[in-house]
C-alpha cells in the first residue's frame, strides 16, 4: 500500500513538472519571442490580434493543466481503492487463519508477554520470540537500566521498540492486522508491556536484591555445615554408648545350641544401623537445603522444584507402592503355601503307589514318579499363573510391553532356526541326496559328510568343509552326481578341436580309444563322440563316456585328457586348436618328439 502511494505521488510530480515546463515555455515565447518574429508581427498584424492570440494560448494552457490535474486525481483514487481492496482481502484471510493459528508466545523468565503470528525478514515467529526474549533478558540484567527510556521508532514498513541503539522488538503491518489494530497502536501497547517487564527485571537484578540473596545463600550454607557437624557429633557419642553396651546390657542370642548373635556381632549390627540412620538424616538435610539454595536466586528457582521432584517423587512412589502391595503379598504367600503342601501330598501318594501299598486299576507302580514330576511341573506352572497378576508392575504398560518385546525378539530370532528345521525335514523326505553323495550346490561341489536339522556340510575335492543352511538348500538347485552314477551311469564329456586336415573317423576312433583306456570309464554303455560345431578353423569334437564312481570325477577327467593327448600323438594327429597357423615350408610339427611315458605304456 505504501509503495503504491509513493508511486502515484512521483508520477503526479513528474507530469505536473512537464506540464508547468510546457506552460512556462509557451508564456516565454509569447511574452519575449524573437526579434524577427516580433517585427514581422508588428508589421503584419495589429496589436489587438496579438493580444487575442496570447489570451487564447493562455486559456489552452490552463485547460491542459486542469485536465492533467483531473487525470492525476483519478490515478490517486484508483491506487487508494486497490490498496483498500488488498487490505480487506488480507484481513479476511487472517480472520480465517486466526481460529486455528495459536501464535508463538514471547516468554521472558516464565512470564508470557505477548504473541507473534507472522514472519519478518526471513525469521519465523519462533525465532522472533527467541530474539525478543534474549534482548529483554539481556537488558533486564543491566544495573544502569532505565525502563522508561524505551521508545518507538517508525519507518514506512516497520515500527521498532528501541532502547538506546538496541532493537528490542519490531512490528509490521501484518502484526497489526493479526491483532486488529494499526502498526503504531500495536507498538505502543507492546511498549507498555515491555517497560513493565523491564521494571520487574530491574528490581530482581538490582544490587540490593543481589546482596540479600548472597547473604541468604551464605547463611544457609553455614547453617547446613553446623547441622552436619552436630549430626556427626551426636552419632559419634551414640557409637561410644553402643560399644559400652557390650559389657553391660547386651547378651548373646541363641537358637537351641546355636549362637546366632554374640555381643560383638550385636554391637556391629547396632553401629551399622546407627550409621544407616545417620546417612538418612544427612540425606533429609540435603533434601531440604539444596532446593532452598536454588530458590534464593531467580535464575535457578525453577531448577529447585525440578531437583526436589527428582528426589522426592521416587521415594514417595516407593513408599506408597510398598504400603499398597502388602495385601497382594499376603495373597502370594497363601497361594505359595497351598501349592507347596499340595505338591507334598502328591509326592506322598506317588511314594505309596511306587512302594505298592496304594494301588489303582491300570496304573503301574513304575509310572508313579514320572507322573509325580509331570504333576509337580503343572502345579508350579499353575502357581506362577495365579501369582503373576499380583506381582508389582504386572498390570503396567511397561511390564506388558517388555513381555511382548521379549516374545517378539524370541519369535523373530527363532524364525530362521525354525525355517532351517522345517527345511531339514522337507529335504529328508525329498531325498535329493544322502550321506557320501557327490553333489553340486550352486557353485559348491563336494561330498555330503553330515546332515543335521539345521545345516548340511559338504567336503570339497580340496578338503574344504562348507556348511550350508538347509533353508538355502531349499531355495537352490542341487545336482547329484552319485545318484546318476548309481542308477544309469554318469556321463562325463570333454571337447577337443582338430583341424579339417584330420579325417573325422580317425578322430572319433582315437577319442573313443582314449576314453576306454581311462580308469573309471565303463565300456557298457560304450563311449560316443558328438561333433558339436563346424567352425571356420576347425570342427569341435565332444567325447562322452559313462562312469560309476562319481567321487573320482576330477581324477577321471584328468586321466581322460592325458589319454587323448597320448592317442593323438601316437597317431600323428596334431592338436592345433583353437587355431594354429603354420606355413608348411619346413616348419616342425607340433607333435612332441620325446614321449616321456614309461616303455610299458608305449608297448
Amino acid at each position: 500500500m505504501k509503495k503504491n502511494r509513493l508511486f502515484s505521488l512521483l508520477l503526479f510530480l513528474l507530469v505536473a513538472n512537464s506540464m508547468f515546463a510546457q506552460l512556462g515555455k509557451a508564456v516565454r515565447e509569447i511574452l519575449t519571442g524573437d526579434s524577427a518574429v516580433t517585427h514581422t508581427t508588428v508589421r503584419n498584424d495589429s496589436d489587438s490580434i496579438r493580444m487575442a492570440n496570447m489570451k487564447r494560448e493562455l486559456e489552452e494552457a490552463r485547460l491542459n493543466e486542469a485536465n492533467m490535474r483531473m487525470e492525476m486525481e483519478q490515478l490517486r483514487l484508483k491506487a487508494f481503492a486497490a490498496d483498500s481492496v488488498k487490505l480487506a482481502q488480507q484481513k479476511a484471510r487472517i480472520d480465517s487463519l486466526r481460529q486455528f493459528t495459536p501464535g508463538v508466545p514471547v516468554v521472558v523468565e516464565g512470564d508470557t508477554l505477548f504473541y507473534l503470528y507472522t514472519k519478518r525478514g526471513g525469521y519465523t515467529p519462533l525465532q522472533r520470540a527467541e530474539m525478543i526474549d534474549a534482548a529483554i533478558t539481556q537488558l533486564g540484567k543491566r544495573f544502569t537500566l532505565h525502563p522508561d527510556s524505551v521508545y518507538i521508532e517508525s519507518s514506512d514498513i516497520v515500527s521498532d521498540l528501541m532502547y538506546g541503539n538496541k532493537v528490542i522488538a519490531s512490528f509490521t503491518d501484518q502484526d497489526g492486522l493479526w491483532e486488529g489494530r494499526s502498526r503504531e497502536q500495536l507498538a505502543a501497547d507492546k511498549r507498555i508491556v515491555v517497560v513493565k517487564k523491564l521494571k520487574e527485571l530491574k528490581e530482581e537484578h538490582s544490587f540490593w536484591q543481589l546482596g540479600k540473596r548472597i547473604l541468604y545463600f551464605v547463611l544457609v550454607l553455614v547453617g547446613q555445615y553446623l547441622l552436619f557437624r552436630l549430626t556427626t557429633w551426636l552419632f559419634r557419642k551414640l557409637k561410644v554408648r553402643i560399644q559400652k553396651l557390650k559389657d553391660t546390657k547386651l547378651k548373646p542370642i541363641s537358637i537351641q545350641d546355636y549362637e546366632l548373635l554374640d555381643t560383638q556381632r550385636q554391637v556391629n549390627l547396632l553401629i551399622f544401623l546407627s550409621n544407616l540412620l545417620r546417612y538418612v538424616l544427612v540425606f533429609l538435610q540435603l533434601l531440604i537445603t539444596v532446593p532452598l539454595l536454588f530458590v534464593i536466586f531467580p535464575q535457578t528457582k525453577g531448577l529447585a522444584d525440578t531437583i526436589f521432584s527428582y528426589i522426592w517423587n521416587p521415594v514417595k512412589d516407593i513408599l506408597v507402592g510398598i504400603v499398597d502391595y502388602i495385601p497382594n503379598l499376603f495373597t502370594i504367600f497363601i497361594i505359595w503355601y497351598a501349592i507347596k503342601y499340595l505338591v507334598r501330598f502328591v509326592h506322598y501318594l506317588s511314594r505309596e503307589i511306587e512302594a505298592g501299598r496304594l494301588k489303582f486299576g491300570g496304573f503301574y507302580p513304575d509310572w508313579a514318579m514320572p507322573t509325580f514330576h509331570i504333576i509337580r511341573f503343572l502345579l508350579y506352572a499353575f502357581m506362577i499363573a495365579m501369582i503373576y497378576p499380583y506381582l508389582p508392575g504386572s498390570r503396567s504398560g511397561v511390564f506388558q510391553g517388555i513381555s511382548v518385546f521379549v516374545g517378539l525378539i524370541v519369535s523373530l530370532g527363532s524364525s530362521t532356526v525354525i525355517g532351517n528345521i522345517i527345511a531339514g525335514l522337507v529335504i529328508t523326505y525329498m531325498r535329493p541326496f544322502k550321506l557320501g553323495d557327490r553333489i553340486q550346490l550352486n557353485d559348491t561341489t563336494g561330498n555330503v559328510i553330515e546332515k543335521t536339522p539345521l545345516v548340511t556340510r559338504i567336503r570339497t575335492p580340496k578338503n574344504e568343509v562348507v556348511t550350508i543352511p538347509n533353508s538355502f538348500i531349499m531355495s537352490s538347485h542341487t545336482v547329484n552326481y552319485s545318484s546318476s552314477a548309481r542308477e544309469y551311469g554318469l556321463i562325463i564329456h570333454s571337447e577337443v578341436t582338430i583341424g579339417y586336415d584330420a579325417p573325422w573317423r580317425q578322430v572319433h576312433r582315437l577319442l573313443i580309444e582314449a576314453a576306454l583306456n581311462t580308469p573309471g570309464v565303463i565300456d557298457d554303455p560304450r563311449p560316443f563322440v558328438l561333433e558339436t560345431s563346424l567352425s571356420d578353423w576347425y570342427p569341435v569334437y565332444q567325447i562322452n563316456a559313462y562312469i560309476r564312481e562319481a567321487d573320482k570325477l576330477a581324477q577321471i577327467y584328468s586321466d581322460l585328457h592325458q589319454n587323448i593327448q597320448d592317442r593323438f600323438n601316437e597317431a600323428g594327429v596334431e592338436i592345433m586348436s583353437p587355431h594354429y597357423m603354420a606355413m608348411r615350408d619346413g616348419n616342425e610339427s607340433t607333435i612332441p618328439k620325446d614321449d616321456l611315458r614309461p616303455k610299458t605304456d608305449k608297448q
Side-chain angles (χ1 to χ4, degrees), residues 98 114-115 117 174-181 186 190:
R98 186 178 288 111
F114 50 86
Y115 291 84
Y117 299 91
Q174 293 291 328
D175 293 324
L177 289 175
W178 272 96
E179 300 198 16
R181 65 191 71 182
L186 179 64
K190 303 310 179 188

Side-chain angles (χ1 to χ4, degrees), residues 118-167:
T118 62
K119 298 190 296 183
R120 180 189 177 275
Y123 293 103
T124 63
L126 178 60
Q127 292 173 333
R128 291 178 63 192
E130 292 175 350
M131 290 189 296
I132 294 173
D133 175 23
I136 295 176
T137 303
Q138 183 179 2
L139 287 175
K141 294 180 181 179
R142 292 184 181 182
F143 296 109
T144 59
L145 176 65
H146 300 285
D148 294 330
S149 298
V150 177
Y151 63 95
I152 301 174
E153 184 176 310
S154 298
S155 63
D156 293 334
I157 60 174
V158 69
S159 295
D160 296 327
L161 290 184
M162 305 287 295
Y163 183 84
N165 296 326
K166 183 177 181 60
V167 178

Side-chain angles (χ1 to χ4, degrees), residues 518 552-565:
T518 300
K552 300 179 180 180
L553 190 61
Q555 184 61 45
I556 293 174
Y557 265 115
S558 178
D559 294 340
L560 175 62
H561 294 156
Q562 294 174 9
N563 288 335
I564 290 174
Q565 294 182 68

Side-chain angles (χ1 to χ4, degrees), residues 416-424 451-456 468-471:
T416 304
V417 176
I418 294 175
N420 285 325
I421 293 175
I422 295 175
K451 289 174 59 179
T452 67
L454 297 177
V455 298
T456 299
I468 304 173
N470 289 332
S471 59

